Amino acid sequence: MTNSGILIVNKPAGLTSHDVVNRVRRATRIRRVGHAGTLDPIATGVLVVCVGQATRISEYLAGHDKTYRATIRLGSETDTYDADGQTIATREVNVSEADLRAALATFVGAIEQVPPMHSAIKRDGRKLYELARAGIEVDRPARSVTIHSIDLLDFTPPDVTLEVRCSAGTYIRSLAHDLGARLLTGAHLSALARIASGPYQLAAAVELDVFETAARDGQWQPYLSTIDQALDDWPVAVLTGADRDRAVTGGPIEALPIHGTRCRAHDEHGELIALLVYDQKKRHWRADKVLSNEH
C-alpha cells in the first residue's frame, strides 16, 4: 500500500495550515508532508494535504479555483481584515439589500486586489505579517485576481453571508474589507469555510481527528487519493523501451501523440513514472517531475 498521495482534510478553526501538516506528519510518521493552498486560522474547510511524493506536485494543485462560504460583518473594521484582529473603526450600518447587491456586482470578474498586511506575502525577504506585527505598514502592489461569481445567501444586518467562487490567490479578507469601503460602513470577515478547491469538495474531506484515529490504528492510507487521480485532467502517454528510459533519466522525447504541453507518462504496466512538459523552443518533451514507485 502506497504512503504517497493526496489527503483532503476539513481544517478546524483555530489551526494554521502548518499546524494541520504537522499533525498529519506525526500521525503518519511521514516526513514529507505539505499543503497546496493556505487557509487562515479563522477558516475551516478543504485543505489539500500532500503526503510523500505528492509534495512534488503541490504547485499544480495550488492553482485550482476555490469556492468559499464567507460571513462578513458590516460596520466594524479590523487591522487584519478578519475577526482575529483588533477593531480599528466602527460605523453605523444603513444598507439596503439593493445597495449590497449593487456593491457586490462590482467585484465580479477580473479585478485588482490589494493583499492585507497580515498575510504571508514577502516584501524584501520578510513576510508582511511579520512587518505588521512590528507595527510597520508598507505599500502592497495590487494583484490581478478573478472572482467568477458571488451569490448572496443571507443578509441579516450587520451580517452578510456569501458564496464566492474565485481564482487562486484571491483574499476573501480583502474582499470583505473592500466591500465595507464600497458601502462606507467598514467591514471584516467574521467566518470563512472553503467548500471546494478545484475538484476537491468539502463533502469528501475527512475530519482531522478522525484521520488521526485511523492513523493510530494503521488505517490512514485509504484516505489518500493517488497522484494520478489528482492530475486526471492531464492526458496520458504510455511509454515503453527507449522513451521510457528517457523519461526517467530526463532525456528528450521527440514526439508523442498528445495535444497540449503537459502530460502524465505511464509505463507499460500503467504505473505513473513521470510528468512531462513540451519544450516549445527545442521541440521535444522532457520530464518535469520523475516519480518513482514508493510503497
Side-chain angles (χ1 to χ4, degrees):
M1 186 176 290
T2 182
N3 287 337
S4 292
I6 311 301
L7 172 68
I8 308 304
V9 173
N10 181 8
K11 187 189 88 65
L15 298 183
T16 67
S17 299
H18 191 63
D19 290 336
V20 175
V21 165
N22 280 339
R23 286 175 60 170
V24 171
R25 188 179 287 134
R26 287 195 299 268
T28 61
R29 299 181 182 179
I30 301 294
R31 181 178 59 82
R32 286 190 296 168
V33 180
H35 63 79
T38 303
L39 280 175
D40 290 332
I42 192 176
T44 65
V46 174
L47 184 67
V48 179
V49 178
C50 301
V51 180
Q53 279 207 105
T55 56
R56 302 186 62 214
I57 69 162
S58 61
E59 65 199 82
Y60 304 127
L61 305 180
H64 286 313
D65 286 349
K66 311 292 194 296
T67 304
Y68 296 94
R69 185 169 294 119
T71 301
I72 296 170
R73 174 151 292 184
L74 304 179
S76 176
E77 187 177 339
T78 72
D79 56 355
T80 60
Y81 298 178
D82 66 16
D84 283 344
Q86 298 296 315
T87 300
I88 57 176
T90 58
R91 298 181 184 87
E92 183 180 353
V93 177
N94 185 18
V95 174
S96 69
E97 184 172 323
D99 293 335
L100 174 61
R101 289 186 181 276
L104 290 172
T106 66
F107 293 101
V108 177
I111 64 171
E112 296 294 306
Q113 186 181 71
V114 177
M117 268 302 299
H118 288 262
S119 64
I121 295 171
K122 289 187 176 181
R123 175 75 175 267
D124 298 328
R126 294 185 68 185
K127 294 179 179 178
L128 289 182
Y129 69 74
E130 294 173 343
L131 297 174
R133 289 170 182 170
I136 302 169
E137 182 163 353
V138 297
D139 290 334
R140 289 95 66 200
R143 306 194 308 173
S144 297
V145 300
T146 300
I147 297 182
H148 302 294
S149 63
I150 302 178
D151 294 324
L152 177 60
L153 302 181
D154 184 69
F155 180 37
T156 306
D159 293 327
V160 178
T161 304
L162 308 173
E163 185 170 301
V164 181
R165 189 169 66 87
C166 56
S167 64
T170 302
Y171 279 92
I172 305 300
R173 283 185 288 141
S174 289
L175 174 64
H177 175 82
D178 295 346
L179 177 64
R182 185 67 51 87
L183 293 170
L184 304 179
T185 63
H188 69 269
L189 183 69
S190 60
L192 184 68
R194 185 153 67 198
I195 58 178
S197 177
Y200 301 113
Q201 303 291 318
L202 182 58
V206 62
E207 302 296 329
L208 183 57
D209 57 351
V210 170
F211 179 78
E212 288 173 320
T213 298
R216 284 195 292 271
D217 295 334
Q219 298 295 321
W220 60 270
Q221 289 94 340
Y223 286 103
L224 299 183
S225 59
T226 67
I227 296 173
D228 244 347
Q229 290 169 330
L231 301 177
D232 66 357
D233 57 335
W234 291 37
V236 172
V238 178
L239 304 184
T240 59
D243 279 346
R244 183 199 182 285
D245 295 340
R246 292 187 188 100
V248 298
T249 59
I253 300 171
E254 296 301 327
L256 292 174
I258 296 293
H259 295 291
T261 58
R262 64 186 191 181
C263 71
R264 290 171 285 159
H266 284 186
D267 65 15
E268 60 269 34
H269 305 296
E271 296 291 335
L272 178 66
I273 57 173
L275 303 178
L276 307 182
V277 295
Y278 187 71
D279 189 317
Q280 302 279 8
K281 291 184 177 179
K282 297 182 178 179
R283 295 182 177 274
H284 64 229
W285 293 84
R286 60 174 177 79
D288 187 46
K289 310 281 184 183
V290 176
L291 303 166
S292 63
N293 296 322
E294 284 188 352
H295 297 283

